Amino acid sequence: MRLSRFFLPVLKETPSDAQIVSHQLMLRAGMIRQQSAGIYSWLPLGLKVLKKVEQIVREEQNRAGAVELLMPTIQSADLWRESGRYDDYGAEMLRITDRHERDMLFGPTNEEMITEIFRSYCRSYKDLPKLLYHIQWKFRDEIRPRFGVMRGREFLMKDTYSFDLDEEAARRSYNKMFIAYLNTFSRMGLKAVPMKADTGPIGGDLSHEFIVLAETGESEVFCHADLVDMGAPGTDIDFDGDLQPLVDQRTALYAATDEMHEPDVFARVPEDRRLTARGIEVGHIFYFGTKYSDPMKALVTHPDGKERAVHMGSYGVGVSRLLGAIIEAHHDEKGCIWPEEVAPFGVGILNLRAGDGEADAACEDAYGKLTAAGLDPLYDDTSERPGGKFATADLIGLPYQLVIGPRGLKEGKVELKVRRTGETHELSPEDAVNRLAERAFADG
Amino acid sequence: MRLSRFFLPVLKETPSDAQIVSHQLMLRAGMIRQQSAGIYSWLPLGLKVLKKVEQIVREEQNRAGAVELLMPTIQSADLWRESGRYDDYGAEMLRITDRHERDMLFGPTNEEMITEIFRSYCRSYKDLPKLLYHIQWKFRDEIRPRFGVMRGREFLMKDTYSFDLDEEAARRSYNKMFIAYLNTFSRMGLKAVPMKADTGPIGGDLSHEFIVLAETGESEVFCHADLVDMGAPGTDIDFDGDLQPLVDQRTALYAATDEMHEPDVFARVPEDRRLTARGIEVGHIFYFGTKYSDPMKALVTHPDGKERAVHMGSYGVGVSRLLGAIIEAHHDEKGCIWPEEVAPFGVGILNLRAGDGEADAACEDAYGKLTAAGLDPLYDDTSERPGGKFATADLIGLPYQLVIGPRGLKEGKVELKVRRTGETHELSPEDAVNRLAERAFADG
C-alpha cells in the first residue's frame, strides 16, 4: 500500500480524554475514531490489525474442531423470555422496539439463539458433540464506557457454544477450548494465564478466565509464576486425543482473580513463585450444564431411548478488546510494537526524499519485490519530512523499516531498522530486500 | 471438512413460506435460518458462500483503489440531524434509545458518518481523492420483509464513499466503481447490466443500478441485448487510466428500469436487440455532489486558497442479497449450481459405504490429497444411504462430486460427477484426484 493512497490520520497530540496507553496509541496511530460513547469506527490501520486478530481466533477455533456460523445482531425478546433472562439482564441490554411494536434487542451474547438453532435441528445423541461459534458485533450498554476498545459498548466477540450428552463429554469440549485459547493468545504474542472463575449457582470447577498480565489491567490477580513461564501447548496438538493432562498441568497451579482469591491457599505457593499482578481478561470459558437447555427444551434422545436436556458450555474471546491488550503488552514511548502475526503491515519503506529520481526508483523496486515476497509493505511515498516519517513508522509499529534516501544510495546503502529492538543495519538495497524476504530478522 | 463434524441441517421438504427458488434452496440446503421476520442466521454452509462473495467484493474494491475501514452499526441520531435525514427517513430506520436516553439508530447506510470522519481529518485538496468503503451489517425495518435474504431487514452491504474536489474528479471516482462493479459481479458468475437510475433532485447522469436478469426479478427492465452479451472489462484494467471509454461503451446502449423507462427511446433500439426482462438490483452507484458535505460542512481548501464543500458519491453492493441473486441465476430442480469462485466447497467426496475398509481408505486418501491441493473438499463420511448423499451433494451444489464405493473400487474405479453439466467420468482413484487437482474439469 502506498501511504499517499491510504487513509492514515495520525495525531500529533495525545488526546486528553484517553487514560490508558492502548487507547491513546490507537487514537494517535489513526486506528480508531470514537463515534459515540463506547462506539468506534475502525479506521483502515485498526481494521487491518482487527482482521488479523480475528483470523487467528478463527483458525484456532477451526483447528479445535469448532464450526463457524453467523448469528444476527438483532434478536427477538421472546427468545430471551424463554430462558428467563429478558427481565434479569438489566440496563446493559440495548432494548429496541421495531415498527410493528415487537420487542427486539441488540444481542449482548447468544446462548438463547444458539440453543434455539440447536433444538431446531438436533434431536439425537448421534448429532453430538457439536461445537459452534460465531464472530459478531455485540452491544452492551455499559453505564460508563471507557479505555477505548477495552470497555466499549459495541464490540467484536467470538463466542463458541458446545453441546454434549453429559458432563463428562462436556468436559472434553471444555478442554478443547481451554487448549485452543492458550494457542490463540500465544500466537498474538500474549501470555494469557487461565484463572479459576466463579461458576455461580451451577458450581463445579469448569469456568476459567484467561488473563493477560499488564500494569494497566482492570483487576488484581494472583498466580503461581510457573504459569506465566509455561509455553502454550502448541498447534500440533491432537484435539481428538486426551487433553486432560495438558489442562491439569495448568489448573494444578494456583491462579485466581481478586474475586476468587483464597489468600490461605495462595500462601502455600513457594514464596519466590507467588505473583501478584494486574490483569486484563481476554477470554472466558464456562460450562453451564442444562441452564438454557432445560427451560428452552433443547432435548436429545440418549442411547437408552430417553430424552434429556443437552449439556452446554460457552466460550468467549473479546476480539476487539484484544487489540488493546496487545498494545498494553507491546509498546514503548514511541508507539506500538506489534508482534509480527498481527502487525498491520509486514514492513515499511520510508522514502526520505520523494521526488528524487534515484530514491523513488530504489523505493519502487523494493516495494515491488517486498510485495511479491508477501510482506505487504506500506510505502511512505509522501512529501513529509524524514523526522515525521520516522515518527509515524514507529507510532504505528511497523516491525521493519527500510529507510531509503539519496545520501545513503550514493554509497550504495539503505538502512534497515528493526522496530522491536531498535537495531539498524546498513545494507545494500538488494541485501536488505533479500534478507527481509527471507525473514532473516524475524524473532519467531 | 468431514460432514460428520460439520453442521449441515438440510431439509427434505420445501418450506411452505418461501416463495422464490433462492429462498427455498437456501433454507433446504441448510444455509440460513430465519430468527425473526427478515433476520437470518447464516448457518455454516451459507456463511462459507457469504464470505466468498464478500471477499470478491473486497478484492475488487481494493483493486480499484478503495481503502477499507469499518464503521459501527449503531449511530447517533445527532449525526443524522446534521444532514436533515433523521426526520425524513421514516419508519424504515430502526430508532433506539440508550440507557442515558440518547437517540441512537441502527445504521441503514453511512453517508453521514463517513462525512463526519472525512471532515475530521481531511481539509485540503492534497487529501483528495479519497475512496473509502466498509462491509457492515445494516438494518432497514422493511414493513414486509420477504424473499429470504433478497429483502431482509438485517443485511450485509458494501458501501463505498468517494471524496473529490469537483464534479469532474468525482466522475473519475464514479467510473472506477462502475468498472469495479462489472468485474465484481462477473467473478461471481453474474451478468449485471448497468442501468440509468433516478438521480433525484440533483440531476445529471451519474447514477446507475446494476441489474442481474432473472425471471424472479423484482422489477421489469428494458435494455439493448448487446449489454448482456458484453463481457466485463477484466481485472487487468489500469484504474488510474482513463476509464471513460469503457463506461461510454456501456452507457451508450439503452438500459433502464421500469422507473426510468422511456418507451420512445427504447423503440429506437433495433427490434431484434430489444430485451424486456425482469431484474434483481445488486448494486447502485450514485454521485450526489455536495448534498451531505454542504449541511455537514465537510470543506476542503482548493489550490486557490478558498474552501468549498467536497464532492461525494456513494456506491453500494448488497452482499447478502447477492447470494439470492446467484442462486436465482444458477440452479436446477435438484438444487444450487454454484459458480466455482463462490462454491462453499471445491469438491465433495461421497463414501457410498462408510465403515467399509476399502472405501474408507480410498476416501481418506482422496480427502488428504484434495485438501493438500487446496480444493477444500467436503467428505461425506456419514452412514446416510447413497441416494441421500447424492441428493445432498446436488442440493448444496458441490461443483465436483467424487463418488467412491466398494463395487467401483473392485474394478479400480471411482466416479467423478460434474454438477453443472451432470456428466460423469469413470476413472481410477489416482486419475480422478489428479485431474481434480489440475482443475481439468473447470469451465473457467
Side-chain angles (χ1 to χ4, degrees):
Chain A
M1 175 62 68
R2 292 165 199 275
L3 185 53
S4 60
R5 294 176 170 229
F6 200 51
F7 178 56
L8 183 71
V10 299
L11 305 179
K12 295 241 159 59
E13 310 289 324
T14 298
S16 58
D17 54 331
Q19 297 162 38
I20 61 171
V21 69
S22 58
H23 190 193
Q24 292 165 359
L25 286 176
M26 288 182 82
L27 290 168
R28 283 190 54 211
M31 293 179 68
I32 53 172
R33 172 171 185 77
Q34 181 171 305
Q35 304 292 163
S36 304
I39 302 179
Y40 293 86
S41 282
W42 293 78
L43 302 179
L45 192 80
L47 181 61
K48 283 202 82 166
V49 180
L50 183 68
K51 287 201 164 277
K52 291 193 175 188
V53 168
E54 178 186 341
Q55 185 58 19
I56 291 173
V57 171
R58 173 177 293 120
E59 286 171 12
E60 297 309 320
Q61 286 298 303
N62 293 346
R63 197 190 307 278
V67 174
E68 188 175 8
L69 46 69
L70 183 64
M71 291 174 270
T73 65
I74 300 297
Q75 306 187 15
S76 159
D78 285 340
L79 206 51
W80 288 65
R81 291 195 178 104
E82 280 194 58
S83 72
R85 283 211 289 183
Y86 188 66
D87 295 324
D88 296 349
Y89 210 92
E92 271 191 23
M93 178 184 276
L94 190 67
R95 293 160 206 263
I96 302 169
T97 307
D98 76 5
R99 71 188 293 170
H100 294 298
E101 299 296 325
R102 281 175 297 216
D103 293 331
M104 313 291 286
L105 56 98
F106 196 123
T109 176
N110 285 69
E111 280 83 2
E112 283 79 359
M113 193 177 278
I114 197 78
T115 304
E116 192 278 334
I117 290 172
F118 178 85
R119 76 178 174 194
S120 305
Y121 302 112
C122 300
R123 308 275 162 82
S124 158
Y125 69 93
K126 292 178 192 160
D127 297 320
L128 302 179
K130 279 274 171 284
L131 263 174
L132 302 172
Y133 76 99
H134 79 153
I135 303 176
Q136 178 61 290
W137 293 91
K138 311 289 194 296
F139 202 97
R140 289 186 193 161
D141 204 357
E142 300 268 357
I143 191 157
R144 210 177 302 111
R146 60 201 157 134
F147 303 150
V149 300
M150 298 281 265
R151 191 174 290 272
R153 294 199 290 168
E154 186 168 332
F155 60 97
L156 189 61
M157 185 162 97
K158 184 284 299 173
D159 35 326
T160 308
Y161 303 92
S162 63
F163 300 87
D164 286 285
L165 200 63
D166 52 27
E167 185 176 341
E168 191 192 330
R171 184 180 287 266
R172 285 194 291 272
S173 295
Y174 186 91
N175 288 348
K176 285 181 188 181
M177 289 297 113
F178 189 104
I179 299 301
Y181 275 27
L182 292 171
N183 286 336
T184 300
F185 301 128
S186 167
R187 280 186 62 192
M188 302 169 192
L190 292 177
K191 284 247 179 224
V193 178
M195 303 200 174
K196 212 159 117 173
D198 192 2
T199 52
I202 290 165
D205 60 349
L206 287 183
S207 180
H208 286 88
E209 293 178 32
F210 288 76
I211 305 278
V212 171
L213 306 186
E215 280 169 34
T216 49
E218 63 223 324
S219 64
E220 198 162 33
V221 297
F222 309 86
C223 73
H224 195 300
D226 286 6
L227 268 176
V228 181
D229 300 338
M230 207 180 284
T235 53
D236 53 349
I237 295 287
D238 172 14
F239 278 92
D240 291 328
D242 182 10
L243 303 175
Q244 198 63 49
L246 287 167
V247 172
D248 289 344
Q249 195 188 352
R250 286 156 176 93
T251 52
L253 295 171
Y254 188 87
T257 58
D258 208 2
E259 239 181 354
M260 296 290 287
H261 186 46
E262 296 171 272
D264 49 326
V265 183
F266 189 48
R268 280 177 241 148
V269 173
E271 198 175 348
D272 64 326
R273 306 307 290 156
R274 254 177 250 157
L275 186 68
T276 303
R278 297 198 70 81
I280 301 166
E281 185 198 326
V282 290
H284 195 162
I285 64 178
F286 199 62
Y287 162 70
F288 46 70
T290 59
K291 180 176 173 188
Y292 299 93
S293 52
D294 261 336
M296 294 184 67
K297 306 247 181 316
L299 310 177
V300 283
T301 308
H302 282 230
D304 66 7
K306 289 198 180 126
E307 281 190 332
R308 297 182 185 90
V310 72
H311 283 246
M312 293 175 58
S314 76
Y315 313 87
V317 167
V319 178
S320 45
R321 150 173 277 229
L322 272 169
L323 274 82
I326 294 170
I327 295 177
E328 292 293 334
H330 299 283
H331 69 272
D332 63 13
E333 71 287 353
K334 290 177 182 164
C336 306
I337 305 179
W338 297 108
E340 286 189 38
E341 274 226 54
V342 298
F345 293 95
V347 55
I349 301 168
L350 281 59
N351 187 341
L352 296 190
R353 202 175 301 156
D356 174 275
E358 259 192 283
D360 288 356
C363 287
E364 288 291 341
D365 187 63
Y367 184 60
K369 286 174 178 160
L370 293 170
T371 301
L375 277 163
D376 191 17
L378 178 66
Y379 171 23
D380 188 344
D381 59 345
T382 65
S383 54
E384 166 92 75
R385 290 167 305 102
K389 293 192 178 190
F390 294 135
T392 296
D394 282 351
L395 173 63
I396 68 175
L398 300 175
Y400 305 102
Q401 300 165 17
L402 192 56
V403 181
I404 300 179
R407 203 180 312 167
L409 285 175
K410 279 218 175 71
E411 294 160 25
K413 298 287 181 200
V414 297
E415 189 182 274
L416 178 70
K417 177 172 150 186
V418 180
R419 172 73 177 95
R420 178 171 297 280
T421 59
E423 61 183 289
T424 58
H425 303 266
E426 294 253 306
L427 298 165
S428 73
E430 295 73 29
D431 268 6
V433 166
N434 289 339
R435 293 182 64 183
L436 279 168
E438 290 159 9
R439 273 73 169 170
F441 308 94
D443 47 22
Chain B
M1 176 62 68
R2 291 165 200 277
L3 185 53
S4 60
R5 296 177 169 228
F6 199 52
F7 179 55
L8 181 70
V10 298
L11 306 179
K12 295 240 160 61
E13 309 289 323
T14 298
S16 59
D17 54 333
Q19 296 164 37
I20 61 172
V21 70
S22 58
H23 189 193
Q24 292 166 358
L25 286 176
M26 288 181 82
L27 290 168
R28 283 190 54 210
M31 295 179 65
I32 54 172
R33 173 171 183 78
Q34 180 171 307
Q35 303 293 164
S36 305
I39 302 180
Y40 292 87
S41 282
W42 293 78
L43 302 179
L45 192 80
L47 182 61
K48 284 203 81 166
V49 180
L50 183 67
K51 287 200 165 279
K52 291 194 175 188
V53 168
E54 178 186 341
Q55 185 57 21
I56 291 173
V57 172
R58 174 176 292 119
E59 285 170 13
E60 297 310 321
Q61 286 297 301
N62 293 346
R63 198 191 307 276
V67 174
E68 187 174 8
L69 46 67
L70 184 63
M71 291 174 271
T73 64
I74 301 297
Q75 308 187 14
S76 160
D78 286 340
L79 205 52
W80 288 66
R81 291 193 177 106
E82 280 194 56
S83 72
R85 281 210 290 181
Y86 187 65
D87 295 326
D88 295 349
Y89 210 93
E92 271 191 22
M93 178 183 278
L94 190 67
R95 294 161 207 260
I96 302 169
T97 308
D98 76 7
R99 71 189 292 170
H100 296 297
E101 300 296 326
R102 281 175 298 218
D103 292 332
M104 313 292 287
L105 57 98
F106 197 123
T109 176
N110 285 67
E111 280 82 3
E112 283 79 359
M113 192 176 279
I114 198 77
T115 304
E116 192 278 335
I117 291 173
F118 178 86
R119 75 178 176 196
S120 305
Y121 301 112
C122 301
R123 307 275 162 81
S124 158
Y125 68 94
K126 291 177 192 162
D127 298 321
L128 301 178
K130 279 275 170 285
L131 262 174
L132 302 172
Y133 75 99
H134 79 155
I135 304 177
Q136 178 61 291
W137 293 90
K138 311 288 195 294
F139 201 97
R140 289 187 192 160
D141 204 356
E142 300 266 358
I143 193 157
R144 210 176 305 111
R146 61 202 156 130
F147 303 149
V149 301
M150 298 282 265
R151 190 174 291 271
R153 293 200 291 166
E154 187 168 333
F155 60 97
L156 188 60
M157 185 163 96
K158 185 283 300 171
D159 35 326
T160 308
Y161 302 91
S162 63
F163 300 88
D164 285 285
L165 201 62
D166 52 28
E167 185 176 340
E168 192 191 331
R171 184 180 286 266
R172 284 194 291 272
S173 296
Y174 186 91
N175 288 348
K176 285 181 187 180
M177 289 299 112
F178 188 105
I179 300 300
Y181 275 28
L182 291 171
N183 286 337
T184 300
F185 301 128
S186 167
R187 281 186 61 193
M188 303 170 191
L190 292 178
K191 286 246 179 225
V193 178
M195 302 200 176
K196 211 158 119 176
D198 192 3
T199 52
I202 289 165
D205 60 347
L206 288 183
S207 181
H208 287 87
E209 291 177 35
F210 289 75
I211 305 278
V212 171
L213 305 187
E215 278 169 36
T216 49
E218 62 222 326
S219 62
E220 198 162 33
V221 296
F222 308 86
C223 73
H224 194 300
D226 286 4
L227 268 175
V228 181
D229 300 337
M230 208 180 285
T235 53
D236 53 349
I237 293 288
D238 173 14
F239 278 92
D240 292 329
D242 182 10
L243 303 175
Q244 197 63 51
L246 286 168
V247 173
D248 288 345
Q249 194 187 354
R250 286 155 177 93
T251 53
L253 296 170
Y254 188 87
T257 58
D258 206 1
E259 237 180 356
M260 296 288 288
H261 185 45
E262 297 170 274
D264 49 327
V265 183
F266 190 49
R268 281 177 241 146
V269 173
E271 198 173 350
D272 64 328
R273 306 307 291 155
R274 252 178 255 159
L275 186 66
T276 301
R278 298 200 70 82
I280 301 165
E281 184 196 328
V282 289
H284 194 163
I285 64 178
F286 199 61
Y287 162 71
F288 46 72
T290 59
K291 180 174 172 189
Y292 299 94
S293 53
D294 261 335
M296 294 185 67
K297 307 248 180 313
L299 310 178
V300 284
T301 309
H302 281 229
D304 66 7
K306 291 200 178 122
E307 281 189 331
R308 295 181 185 92
V310 72
H311 283 245
M312 292 175 59
S314 76
Y315 313 88
V317 168
V319 177
S320 45
R321 151 174 276 229
L322 272 169
L323 273 83
I326 294 170
I327 295 177
E328 292 294 333
H330 300 283
H331 68 272
D332 62 14
E333 71 287 353
K334 291 176 181 165
C336 306
I337 304 176
W338 297 110
E340 285 191 39
E341 275 226 58
V342 298
F345 293 94
V347 54
I349 301 168
L350 281 59
N351 188 340
L352 294 190
R353 201 177 302 157
D356 174 275
E358 259 193 283
D360 289 356
C363 286
E364 288 292 338
D365 186 64
Y367 183 59
K369 287 176 178 159
L370 293 171
T371 301
L375 277 162
D376 190 18
L378 178 67
Y379 171 24
D380 189 343
D381 58 345
T382 65
S383 55
E384 165 93 74
R385 291 167 305 103
K389 293 193 178 190
F390 294 135
T392 296
D394 282 349
L395 173 62
I396 68 177
L398 300 175
Y400 304 103
Q401 301 165 16
L402 191 56
V403 182
I404 300 180
R407 202 183 311 168
L409 285 174
K410 278 217 178 71
E411 294 161 26
K413 297 288 180 201
V414 297
E415 188 182 277
L416 178 69
K417 176 172 153 185
V418 181
R419 173 72 176 93
R420 178 171 297 280
T421 58
E423 61 185 290
T424 59
H425 305 265
E426 295 253 307
L427 299 165
S428 75
E430 296 71 32
D431 268 4
V433 167
N434 289 339
R435 293 181 65 181
L436 278 168
E438 291 160 10
R439 274 72 169 172
F441 307 96
D443 47 22

